[in-house]
Amino acid sequence: MSGYRDLFDVSINDPATFWADAAKAVTWTREPQHILDDSNPPFYRWFPDGELNTCANALDRHVPERGDQAALIYDSPVTGTKRTYTYRELRDATAQFAGALRQLGVGKGDLVVVYMPMIPEAVIAMLACARLGAVHSVVFGGFAASELATRIDDAKPVVVVSASCGIEPTRVVEYKPMLDSALDIAEHKPRACVILQREQRPCQLLAGRDHDWRELTDSATPADPVPVAATDPLYVLYTSGTTGKPKGIVRDNGGHAVALLWSMRHIYDTAPGDVYWAASDVGWVVGHSYIVYAPLLLGATTVLYEGKPIGTPDAGAFWRVAAEHKVKALFTAPTAIRAIKKEDPDGALIGGYDLSSLKYLFQAGERLDPDTYHWAADKLGVPVIDHWWQTETGWAIAADPMGVQPLPVKPGSATVPMPGYDVQILHSDGAVAEPGEEGAICVKLPLPPGTLPTLWGDDHRYVSAYLSAFTGYYLTGDGGYIDSDGYLFVMGRTDDVINVAGHRLSTGSIEAVLAQHPAVAECAVIGVADEIKGQVPRGFVVLKSGASADRLAEELIAAVRDNIGAVAFFKKVDVVAALPKTRSGKILRKTMRAIADGREEPVPSTIEDPAVLDALTPVLRGQGA
Ligand code: COA
Ligand code: AMP
């Protein structure tokens, strides 16, 4: 491990030197002299005196050399559209839309919510905010109105940018009614909305509030990049926490650009001019980092795919896109590979495409199970690299650094910690675990550049949620172990966050929806193992006395779909007599999860009434209701 090991050691022992060197890849309007401000722990700031514009780094600086190179390839099997934007075209479209936002009064430090499907205008909107020094907050298009409203109330945008509709394989998803209803629910009212009309389902605009994207943009004057402090926020991205209230993860400008550029070369082995495809969604962190920012910061070509791994039209869709656009590195969630494997178990469709440019398949978003790893490695014949990270970190905490020194793969492991991440496994008393011992995966502070400096408007929650469990450490919320070779094995969340088809959701927010039903006295939602999606939520409700269970399951399922969104994939809820609890009243979700997944798990000695758990066990195991 010498190449990797040397790099890693410098990053931990002398972080300022390591990241000052990495920072040379960024074009600064004021070069940082000070690399790490550690004067106010547990708050750390990277490049505190640096100044830059992230959009200029992602677009303008490439135009002289790569103006005619493809910056973004939009490939949309659901609409039958393909379109390539060169760096010059993407820069011009972004400058023009930035001018449109400026006309609506958006300036440095203002927040703009972007609620859009996977279309180039979503990328343009994000980059336009960055150009103005404004802060974007993208809300995943699969979230329903009340989730959008919660984010609007927390983020307090001056403007919302949206589209008339999104296209799912089986239906057109009307965004505008969801936006309207979210703005009805939300206490905060933005000054204006900008709506992109899509021909598949145009919508009505509300006079005085809504602006047509094209009309507004056509009449705008292009805006130049506005320099901002490296520590100024670039975006806020909400992610599920253990409560129903999502956390607004803040990303700064300078550390983000430095870390993403480092990752492209050293983890993804990608160079300017290469084609890189993250088959995710701009609403998730993978989309932010590896559809939008990292490939463009580097001068690579990014692919924006509006489609699915299967059904658009078949399980060969990914291979078609990879072959057609000469993709070098493909990044997906394992769930997508499992879906493909189920439809095309022999990988017969792979053979129909020329995948000679494909060099790597990167996997993240959930644990890469060894079966899926072996299938992909065998069928594709390229390195399949699991890497582990979170919305909070913005880039990989652990990976196999392909551009430094490819390390031997151990299926089931995300390989080794990346520079700057001093990963430690801690027991509940704070003691460091021995190799092979499982515990809470933590990272010793300071976290490297690019990771969250705080939560939006809530330093207190940042500290209480992440930094309080173990003083001096960031708590990842995942459990796992490090083996004697230094390989990290991430085994799953230790809290109530679940991962459904690569989508991170909080069981708490689903419980909040169930609890609103007039017939429900109490409820619990747990994530149970699923062959394709990794995990799916299951609900258990106890009725209020005298309440009827008639049609209750249907109503609860519909309520979750309407309030959170179809992505929650909430399809199963059982009415039970009681929920197992500790004597202090805490529902034993972990024990329920283990029983549902068929694992042996000791029953806590603090259980209030073991008979309740005994009665629930057959239901959890799917043997009764
Ligand atoms: N807007 C609106 N609705 C959306 C949506 C979006 N952006 N994304 C998903 N949905 C809806 C789907 O239409 C579906 O609705 P339905 O119940 O009416 O059919 C529901 O949410 C569940 O969708 P999905 O999670 O896509 O599941 P699926 O069963 O349709 O497909 C997979 C399964 C594995 C193919 C799919 O989940 C997938 O591609 N996952 C990869 C996810 C990913 O890349 N995550 C990013 C982390 S790196
Ligand atoms: P998100 O913030 O949506 O990216 O989800 C982050 C969470 O997904 C992590 O905390 C893990 O629980 C899980 N996760 C992401 N990547 C991996 C991986 N490679 N292995 C195991 N779990 C992962």
Side-chain angles (χ1 to χ4, degrees):
M1 286 201 198
S2 68
Y4 154 74
R5 182 44 71 186
D6 291 348
L7 215 56
F8 179 78
D9 287 348
V10 175
S11 81
I12 300 300
N13 300 331
D14 188 1
T17 300
F18 184 91
W19 293 111
D21 189 44
K24 291 183 188 139
V26 169
T27 304
W28 303 89
T29 48
R30 191 172 63 220
E31 294 260 346
Q33 306 300 317
H34 190 181
I35 303 304
L36 172 63
D37 174 4
D38 55 4
S39 60
N40 183 29
F43 297 90
Y44 297 87
R45 307 310 305 259
W46 289 96
F47 313 109
D49 58 352
E51 200 185 76
L52 76 163
N53 180 280
T54 296
C55 177
N57 271 273
L59 299 175
D60 303 61
R61 69 166 172 163
H62 302 307
V63 171
E65 210 186 319
R66 328 184 154 267
D68 297 325
Q69 179 199 305
L72 182 144
I73 299 172
Y74 168 57
D75 188 310
S76 168
V78 290
T79 58
T81 318
K82 285 175 206 165
R83 179 167 177 195
T84 297
Y85 289 74
T86 63
Y87 267 98
R88 185 172 293 104
E89 287 167 338
L90 194 60
R91 192 267 319 260
D92 291 348
T94 301
Q96 194 71 22
F97 188 63
L101 287 176
R102 178 173 279 168
Q103 246 172 256
L104 296 176
V106 176
K108 192 168 166 174
D110 289 334
L111 193 136
V112 174
V113 160
V114 177
Y115 181 59
M116 293 185 103
M118 284 285 287
I119 52 178
E121 287 80 0
V123 179
I124 290 168
M126 292 164 75
L127 291 166
C129 290
R131 194 169 189 84
L132 296 175
V135 183
H136 60 70
S137 186
V138 181
V139 178
F140 174 57
F143 280 131
S146 60
E147 288 289 314
L148 176 58
T150 308
R151 287 157 174 79
I152 287 173
D153 273 338
D154 195 81
K156 305 202 175 16
V158 292
V159 166
V160 177
V161 182
S162 188
S164 58
C165 67
I167 322 284
E168 285 294 292
T170 52
R171 68 201 153 96
V172 173
V173 180
E174 294 192 42
Y175 275 46
K176 187 57 185 359
M178 280 196 277
L179 173 61
D180 288 343
S181 135
L183 291 176
D184 282 346
I185 305 168
E187 277 172 26
H188 174 83
K189 307 292 172 202
R191 193 181 301 156
C193 297
V194 184
I195 311 293
L196 181 89
Q197 295 282 16
R198 297 189 82 186
E199 62 182 55
Q200 291 79 9
R201 192 72 54 89
C203 63
Q204 287 282 325
L205 300 187
L206 185 68
R209 187 196 72 187
D210 298 345
H211 301 261
D212 177 89
W213 171 297
R214 289 189 188 89
E215 281 172 20
L216 190 72
T217 307
D218 285 350
S219 62
T221 308
D224 285 334
V226 176
V228 296
T231 52
D232 280 342
L234 169 67
Y235 70 76
V236 177
L237 179 58
Y238 285 87
T239 191
S240 301
T242 47
T243 67
K245 189 174 182 287
K247 295 172 179 154
I249 305 300
V250 175
R251 190 83 58 219
D252 68 11
N253 277 272
H256 174 252
V258 171
L260 290 191
L261 277 164
W262 188 92
S263 74
M264 282 306 272
R265 289 189 186 268
H266 298 91
I267 299 177
Y268 301 101
D269 187 26
T270 296
D274 287 344
V275 183
Y276 183 95
W277 176 25
S280 177
D281 188 290
V282 290
W284 305 113
V285 71
V286 175
H288 279 65
S289 293
Y290 293 107
I291 295 175
V292 183
Y293 286 108
L296 297 178
L297 285 165
L298 184 70
T301 300
T302 186
V303 178
L304 182 77
Y305 175 67
E306 191 184 26
K308 301 274 174 177
I310 53 172
T312 56
D314 59 27
F318 273 19
W319 321 131
R320 193 271 299 162
V321 174
E324 195 171 320
H325 305 304
K326 302 199 166 26
V327 170
K328 176 177 174 188
L330 168 59
F331 179 164
T332 76
T335 188
I337 301 297
R338 288 196 297 271
I340 293 170
K341 175 178 162 221
K342 188 168 180 216
E343 297 252 312
D344 181 21
D346 300 326
L349 293 169
I350 298 173
Y353 298 97
D354 173 6
L355 289 180
S356 50
S357 19
L358 188 70
K359 298 287 178 264
Y360 303 105
L361 174 66
F362 290 93
Q363 296 273 279
E366 49 168 332
R367 179 167 180 265
L368 174 60
D369 56 284
D371 277 358
T372 307
Y373 165 78
H374 286 298
W375 186 86
D378 180 41
K379 300 294 180 245
L380 291 171
V382 298
V384 175
I385 308 302
D386 184 12
H387 61 320
W388 169 64
W389 51 296
Q390 319 179 296
T391 308
E392 287 84 345
T393 64
W395 64 287
I397 310 170
D400 195 339
M402 288 295 114
V404 178
Q405 176 197 12
L407 301 173
V409 169
K410 291 194 190 188
S413 168
T415 318
V416 290
M418 287 297 92
Y421 291 103
D422 188 355
V423 176
Q424 306 277 343
I425 309 293
L426 301 184
H427 291 307
S428 51
D429 62 359
V432 177
E434 294 296 318
E437 274 179 5
E438 238 182 85
I441 311 179
C442 298
V443 185
K444 201 157 180 219
L445 298 177
L447 294 172
T451 56
L452 79 171
T454 189
L455 294 178
W456 186 241
D458 203 345
D459 284 351
H460 181 73
R461 192 175 178 204
Y462 168 60
V463 174
S464 66
Y466 299 108
L467 309 178
S468 303
F470 303 103
T471 305
Y473 290 89
Y474 165 81
L475 180 76
T476 66
D478 283 296
Y481 63 93
I482 296 178
D483 75 5
S484 50
D485 295 327
Y487 277 57
L488 179 68
F489 289 76
V490 182
M491 304 311 287
R493 298 288 302 194
T494 54
D495 54 17
D496 296 323
V497 167
I498 59 172
N499 204 309
V500 181
H503 309 312
R504 173 168 161 183
L505 300 166
S506 134
T507 53
S509 64
I510 304 178
E511 287 177 2
V513 176
L514 304 186
Q516 274 167 21
H517 193 286
V520 172
E522 54 177 355
C523 61
V525 172
I526 56 170
V528 299
D530 180 82
E531 197 193 338
I532 300 294
K533 289 175 184 268
Q535 276 186 310
V536 290
R538 257 189 88 177
F540 301 87
V541 296
V542 177
L543 292 185
K544 282 186 183 151
S545 80
S548 158
D550 267 5
R551 296 183 44 81
L552 181 63
E554 273 166 62
E555 286 171 18
L556 293 175
I557 288 167
V560 172
R561 193 177 166 97
D562 289 349
N563 281 277
I564 296 181
V567 282
F569 209 78
F570 184 73
K571 309 262 181 194
K572 189 155 169 55
V573 55
D574 290 294
V575 176
V576 297
L579 293 168
K581 291 182 187 162
T582 61
R583 283 191 287 276
S584 60
K586 200 170 172 292
I587 297 172
L588 292 170
R589 293 184 181 78
K590 192 169 167 229
T591 313
M592 290 169 66
R593 227 162 40 213
I595 296 172
D597 288 348
R599 277 181 281 121
E600 289 299 323
E601 171 90 15
V603 176
S605 57
T606 51
I607 188 164
E608 185 187 31
D609 181 0
V612 172
L613 189 62
D614 292 344
L616 190 63
T617 297
V619 184
L620 286 163
R621 295 215 168 118
Q623 297 154 348

